[in-house]
Amino acid sequence: MPRLLIITSTTRPGRAGTDIAAWARDLAHAHGAFDVEVADLAEIDLPFLDEPEHAGSGVYAHDHTRAWSAIVDRADAFLILTAEYNRGITAPLKNAMDYLYREWNDKPVGFLAYGMSSSGLRAAEMASQIAVALAMVPVGVVPLSLRQLRDTGLAPHHEDSLRELLDGLARYSGVLAALRADSQPLEQVA
Ligand SMILES: Cc1cc2nc3c(=O)[nH]c(=O)nc-3n(C[C@H](O)[C@H](O)[C@H](O)COP(=O)(O)O)c2cc1C
């Protein structure tokens, strides 16, 4: 079965990301198309990028990079939680994406966006641009308004939307796994 990696993007104490990741994990388990793993960037605790070589080389000097590489490499699809900080993605998420290259390539990614005024959509758009630079295939985004969650909680349409996104990830993960098996890795275009 393909493996889905759910990646949190925030690290602060008391963050909403913990509950949202748990909801997404449970729904993805029940969806049934994937083995599901959660990568919590607070636990993974990467320092700011400290590798001397470019990520595209795959030459890593540090154990923390090799550990992060192994987690991302074994995934066939990603669901990235994009919290919105100052109209963009969070620093820990950008840092975690910058650390690697080949491990992301030719894999589908969906975004579970959350925030206040724009439900995290501006962050998801930014993350999608970065994902393209890493030769990932963005499949879609599910936006969550924290105001609405606070006032009325999660609604059935949120679950439906996330299921549809998981359907899309499953569809592309098969095609892209075949592509990865049949082709040479990409050179990084900077
Ligand atoms: C530093 C910071 C900047 C924020 N900037 C925005 C923003 O630009 N747009 C928005 O909709 N929400 C913004 N928020 C609200 C967050 O989206 C909201 O607090 C969310 O819960 C953050 O995710 P977290 O709880 O997992 O850290 C900001 C929050 C923080 C802490």
Side-chain angles (χ1 to χ4, degrees), residues 10-12 14-18 83-88 114-120 122 146:
T10 57
T11 56
R12 67 185 182 93
R15 63 209 155 119
T18 311
E84 184 164 302
Y85 280 7
N86 296 314
R87 302 192 183 179
Y114 64 97
M116 301 301 277
S117 51
S118 71
S119 303
R122 291 174 294 209
L146 291 174

